[in-house]
Amino acid sequence: MSAFPGYLLSSNFPSRNAVVTFTEDLINCLFPMVGDAEAYTEQQCSANISLRKQLTEILTPLSKRYELDVSAITNAYLDELANIKAELIEDAELILEFDPAAYSVEEVILSYPGFYAIVMYRLTHPLYKHNVPILPRMMSELAHSRTGIDINAGAQIGCPFFIDHGTGVVIGETSVIGKNVKIYQGVTLGALAVRKEDAQTKRHPTIEDNVVIYANSTILGGKTVIGHDSIVGGNTWVTESIIPHSVVYTKNQIVVADKKDFTEPLNFII
Ligand SMILES: CC(=O)OC[C@H](N)C(=O)O
């Protein structure tokens, strides 16, 4: 009988509880009214004493297994929080501006699952860029389990970004999304083929600025580009690039692209 792999007994990994606490504290520092506002004063958060300690405690055991400069990563990450917060406020304001069912930016911040998923994405992406293993995935899967929205920390997502309703949204690791993009529940930005040997290649689509993708549409492939200012209608299957200013939708099970009400570029039937 083969022995169990040693990692099962290793203490070199972050505990789930530590990751949940770190995540909650991060969010409470960015948006004190989400948690216990009095416990997270601006002063405390700018000092980041507790966050620094927590991140160091999470990364130190990982650094025994992976090459990580714990203090450089921790400093760089905490320095990034102010920019992350500024971007998130822009995201929340776009949601308020675009969703007729949103009545205040506070409502968006406190309640929208799409906003929560974007918060977690913006908090995990810098960790991914610093080549931190496991932690960003644990955080994004926490958001996935809470919202049904699966955004891989490796995706590159511009600001502002809007996800409405959100359940079932999947945004793959090598997706690139421009500014001012809006997506609805069930949208998949996925790979055309799932092969382990493609791990280092761009497998997921590029969505340019000002695109809207309505519910349950699936856009696949690393070379697939949805041109800026386009609309992808609900339930549409797209595996080829779409030129800017298109409207793409499914009609009688056939995908067609029509001319949008713009003066320039012509559209085409695919
Ligand atoms: C979203 C998606 O295409 O997932 C498939 C696989 N995990 C990959 O990243 O390629």
Side-chain angles (χ1 to χ4, degrees), residues 133-167:
I134 301 177
L135 174 62
R137 192 61 185 257
M138 289 176 80
M139 291 169 68
S140 55
E141 294 299 354
L142 177 66
H144 185 188
S145 67
R146 288 178 170 180
T147 63
I149 299 167
D150 179 358
I151 308 181
N152 191 292
Q156 295 169 46
I157 304 181
C159 176
F161 180 48
F162 172 26
I163 300 173
D164 201 4
H165 307 292
T167 316

Side-chain angles (χ1 to χ4, degrees), residues 9-55:
L9 290 173
S10 167
S11 56
N12 290 347
F13 300 103
S15 85
R16 282 191 167 181
N17 287 344
V19 172
V20 171
T21 306
F22 174 61
T23 302
E24 299 292 337
D25 284 359
L26 269 173
I27 294 174
N28 292 340
C29 271
L30 297 177
F31 300 105
M33 83 281 206
V34 170
D36 177 357
E38 280 177 24
Y40 295 97
T41 63
E42 271 305 313
Q43 269 170 327
Q44 262 181 314
C45 289
S46 59
N48 279 321
I49 293 163
S50 162
L51 293 175
R52 182 177 303 280
K53 186 165 173 283
Q54 290 180 67
L55 187 53

Side-chain angles (χ1 to χ4, degrees), residues 208 211 225-231 240-248 257-258 264-268 270:
E208 293 185 344
V211 167
V225 178
I226 305 298
H228 62 84
D229 298 279
S230 291
I231 297 172
E240 289 175 35
S241 293
I242 302 296
I243 61 169
H245 295 288
S246 297
V247 177
V248 187
D258 267 0
E264 332 103 40
L266 287 176
N267 295 301
F268 53 94
I270 52 174

